[in-house]
């Protein structure tokens, strides 16, 4: 309710017209504000649940090499987003060869800018329990996923430069960050990636990494190494690299292990 407390207009009709006009403007402004807030809330809401596993349908499986594949999962609608910030990951649930439940962490290579789906790149090891689940998985089947899991949440521009060490499928969290940084024109962070694998055919996402290096030569450089060591990867690799980096003067605060 509106009330004129002092200096009321002499003409009551003018007062009524003024009241209606002000009310209309206020109502319009409130509607626009609330609509924008609702839209923002919709955009930020993802499809994940941090406490409950949700099923997502496998719609495309692409074999990369002899033991690695790219899995695309559909989200509820063509405009849905996963709701994962750069630096976060998910947990996937499956069954091993003995029919026992197994849960493992994975980092999607897609971002919230990829609407309607998310993708995982998975290396399937011969004796891996979750590897068995992905190896047997076919298009049309569902994967149980929970998240996001928060260990490292990247903020644009939080560092002038980032050095990345990755081995094998350890490239996936690095790739997620690389995309988030390079696809944000406001983020001027430079990235140097050292990526190790056993053989040339084991290099995952090489085409995409080479494209980034070509498109952003001043912000991203990658060096491929074919060897038996190197830092998001198996425990033995992480232990060895941590020792070497400590010797070089990199403190624990300057390192992060996915």
């Amino acid at each position: 309710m509106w009330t004129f407390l002092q200096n009321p207009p002499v003409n009551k009709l003018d007062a009524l017209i003024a009241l209606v006009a002000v009310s209309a403007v206020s109502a319009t402004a409130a509607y626009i504000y609330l609509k924008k807030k609702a839209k923002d809330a919709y955009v930020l809401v993802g499809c994940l649940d941090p406490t409950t596993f949700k099923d997502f349908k496998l719609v495309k499986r692409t074999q990369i090499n002899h033991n690695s594949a790219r899995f695309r999962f559909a989200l509820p609608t063509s405009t849905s987003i996963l709701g994962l910030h750069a630096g976060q990951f998910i947990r996937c649930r499956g069954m091993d060869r003995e029919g026992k439940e197994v849960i493992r962490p994975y980092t999607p290579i897609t971002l919230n800018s990829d609407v309607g789906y998310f993708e995982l790149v998975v290396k399937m090891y011969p004796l891996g329990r979750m590897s068995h689940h992905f190896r047997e998985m076919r298009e049309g089947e569902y994967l149980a996923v929970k998240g996001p899991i928060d260990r490292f949440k990247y903020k644009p521009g939080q560092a002038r430069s980032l050095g990345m060490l990755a081995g094998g499928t350890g490239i996936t969290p690095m790739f997620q960050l690389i995309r988030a940084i390079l696809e944000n024109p406001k983020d001027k962070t430079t990235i140097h990636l050292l990526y190790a694998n056993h053989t040339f055919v084991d290099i995952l996402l090489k085409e995409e990494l080479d494209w980034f290096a070509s498109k952003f030569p001043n912000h991203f450089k990658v060096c491929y190494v074919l060897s038996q060591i190197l830092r998001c990867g198996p425990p033995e690799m992480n232990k060895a690299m941590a020792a070497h980096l400590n010797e070089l003067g990199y403190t624990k605060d300057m390192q992060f292990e996915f």
Side-chain angles (χ1 to χ4, degrees), residues 109-114 175-187 191 211-212 215-216:
I109 61 170
T110 42
L111 303 175
N112 289 332
S113 56
D114 301 300
F175 187 81
Q176 181 200 58
L177 284 177
I178 291 168
R179 279 198 60 189
I181 293 170
L182 297 181
E183 293 181 8
N184 181 359
K186 295 182 180 180
D187 196 333
I191 308 167
W211 185 85
F212 279 131
K215 185 174 177 61
F216 304 96

Side-chain angles (χ1 to χ4, degrees), residues 87-258:
Q88 295 179 317
F89 60 95
I90 59 177
R91 295 194 189 281
C92 300
R93 183 177 65 191
M95 294 291 180
D96 63 14
R97 58 176 46 83
E98 297 178 357
K100 296 181 179 179
E101 181 181 280
V102 56
I103 298 174
R104 291 289 185 271
Y106 290 90
T107 303
I109 61 170
T110 42
L111 303 175
N112 289 332
S113 56
D114 301 300
V115 297
Y117 69 94
F118 72 95
E119 291 186 339
L120 299 176
V121 169
V122 180
K123 184 181 288 288
M124 290 154 280
Y125 299 95
L127 300 179
R129 296 181 62 201
M130 194 66 189
S131 293
H132 172 78
H133 184 87
F134 278 108
R135 188 164 40 244
E136 298 297 317
M137 199 170 191
R138 298 294 179 264
E139 294 178 2
E141 297 180 345
Y142 289 81
L143 178 69
V145 175
K146 181 169 66 174
I149 310 301
D150 223 348
R151 283 192 60 205
F152 172 76
K153 196 171 182 179
Y154 176 77
K155 295 180 181 179
Q158 72 180 54
R160 185 179 70 256
S161 180
L162 288 177
M164 298 180 173
L165 303 175
T169 51
I171 189 61
T172 55
M174 308 300 185
F175 187 81
Q176 181 200 58
L177 284 177
I178 291 168
R179 279 198 60 189
I181 293 170
L182 297 181
E183 293 181 8
N184 181 359
K186 295 182 180 180
D187 196 333
K188 304 302 180 183
T189 305
T190 59
I191 308 167
H192 291 80
L193 169 66
L194 182 63
Y195 183 26
N197 285 277
H198 293 300
T199 66
F200 183 83
V201 296
D202 291 321
I203 301 176
L204 303 176
L205 300 168
K206 186 177 185 302
E207 183 178 345
E208 291 86 347
L209 291 170
D210 288 345
W211 185 85
F212 279 131
S214 175
K215 185 174 177 61
F216 304 96
N218 296 325
H219 291 281
F220 177 63
K221 298 186 185 301
V222 56
C223 178
Y224 301 106
V225 179
L226 302 181
S227 69
Q228 300 296 323
I229 49 175
L230 285 166
R231 182 139 163 127
C232 179
E236 296 82 2
M237 187 199 84
N238 284 326
K239 183 178 180 180
M241 287 309 302
H244 291 308
L245 291 172
N246 290 337
E247 291 178 3
L248 291 173
Y250 290 91
T251 65
K252 291 183 178 180
D253 293 335
M254 299 171 67
Q255 303 178 44
F256 185 85
E257 177 183 319
F258 283 91

Side-chain angles (χ1 to χ4, degrees), residues 1 16 22 72 94 121-122:
M1 178 181 293
L16 180 60
V22 171
R72 174 173 290 198
V121 169
V122 180

